[in-house]
Amino acid sequence: GENVEQHPSTLSVQEGDSAVIKCTYSDSASNYFPWYKQELGKRPQLIIDIRSNVGEKKDQRIAVTLNKTAKHFSLHITETQPEDSAVYFCAAAFMNRDDKIIFGKGTRLHILP
Amino acid sequence: EAGVAQSPRYKIIEKRQSVAFWCNPISGHATLYWYQQILGQGPKLLIQFQNNGVVDDSQLPKDRFSAERLKGVDSTLKIQPAKLEDSAVYLCASTPDRYGTQYFGPGTRLTVL
């Protein structure tokens, strides 16, 4: 089955700087890669996702890149702000098969003032 | 649009007791998921329903966990008897079909003493 590895587990960046979180997956058939943000005590919320037919997707300060050959994908947050502090989870799934979304263990992002 | 509803929000029980959680997905969403999120980890899928049928329950500890989704709408997840290691947040999520974005409920935080 699918296995998703996420790094780093904790990341601290200065406000205004960029943050990058990286994930690798094992099942080459996976074709859907969502990213979730979870603030303390709250539910995970989808912030961006990418499907395997594209290599990059951007939404304002957030971008995701996908390298299918290497089976890794990354989340990039530019011009970080205090409200970006949260735990971020990557995930992978083979949609149209079992649609089972496998999550990484999460990255705790701290934005330093 | 109303979100995924879950109750209770918090539950404290002693080991060997029973507990049940309830989930009401977004209206019209055919697919419903139950996840277990242990502190510091990503959500782990327990069971996935498509309407009222089970799609995947491979990670559900069936000796103590059970779930049902009568009439393809609300769902209940039960633990009987509970163990200390069941302490976690239990998240319910739904999608409009098998290929859509997952929307999470607020979760039920279970503490087993």
Side-chain angles (χ1 to χ4, degrees):
Chain A
E2 177 63 277
N3 182 50
V4 177
E5 299 284 340
Q6 183 171 350
H7 301 281
S9 56
T10 305
L11 178 62
S12 296
V13 301
Q14 212 70 37
E15 182 178 348
D17 288 350
S18 296
V20 180
I21 302 170
K22 299 181 179 181
C23 289
T24 60
Y25 60 99
S26 60
D27 187 350
S28 56
S30 289
N31 56 10
Y32 176 63
F33 307 92
W35 285 88
Y36 286 84
K37 175 183 179 181
Q38 187 173 30
E39 296 176 48
L40 190 63
K42 297 189 176 181
R43 75 194 76 186
Q45 292 199 305
L46 181 75
I47 54 172
I48 194 167
D49 58 13
I50 190 167
R51 298 184 189 267
S52 60
N53 57 345
V54 298
E56 184 174 356
K57 184 176 178 180
K58 190 173 182 180
D59 182 4
Q60 299 183 352
R61 297 185 298 108
I62 295 174
V64 58
T65 58
L66 171 65
N67 183 326
K68 288 177 59 180
T69 303
K71 291 190 285 187
H72 67 69
F73 56 113
S74 301
L75 177 73
H76 304 253
I77 307 175
T78 59
E79 300 172 16
T80 52
Q81 300 170 4
E83 54 265 35
D84 295 330
S85 292
V87 178
Y88 291 81
F89 294 98
C90 64
F94 182 4
M95 302 309 256
N96 301 348
R97 184 181 65 186
D98 52 22
D99 311 323
K100 185 162 64 177
I101 295 181
I102 305 299
F103 286 81
K105 292 189 183 301
T107 296
R108 183 171 298 279
L109 176 63
H110 298 277
I111 306 300
L112 306 172
Chain B
E1 173 182 84
V4 177
Q6 288 187 249
S7 68
R9 292 295 311 278
Y10 306 92
K11 190 72 177 179
I12 300 174
I13 61 173
E14 295 187 348
K15 60 183 179 183
R16 292 188 290 274
Q17 285 187 322
S18 299
V19 65
F21 312 127
W22 173 82
C23 173
N24 178 232
I26 293 173
S27 177
H29 279 199
T31 307
L32 185 148
Y33 307 79
W34 282 102
Y35 289 90
Q36 180 193 59
Q37 187 175 24
I38 293 173
L39 187 65
Q41 298 183 18
K44 172 187 148 185
L45 180 68
L46 293 175
I47 190 167
Q48 176 185 346
F49 291 96
Q50 179 73 13
N51 296 310
N52 61 348
V54 175
V55 175
D56 186 321
D57 64 356
S58 57
Q59 297 195 88
L60 187 73
K62 297 181 187 65
D63 58 334
R64 298 184 301 107
F65 286 64
S66 64
E68 60 181 9
R69 191 182 184 199
L70 299 176
K71 301 180 182 178
V73 182
D74 294 3
S75 178
T76 55
L77 175 70
K78 297 180 182 178
I79 308 175
Q80 179 180 11
K83 293 185 176 181
L84 296 176
E85 57 261 36
D86 298 333
S87 294
V89 174
Y90 290 84
L91 293 162
C92 179
S94 69
T95 62
D97 51 38
R98 291 185 67 178
Y99 318 119
T101 300
Q102 287 194 359
Y103 295 90
F104 283 88
T108 296
R109 183 176 297 278
L110 174 66
T111 302
V112 182
L113 304 176

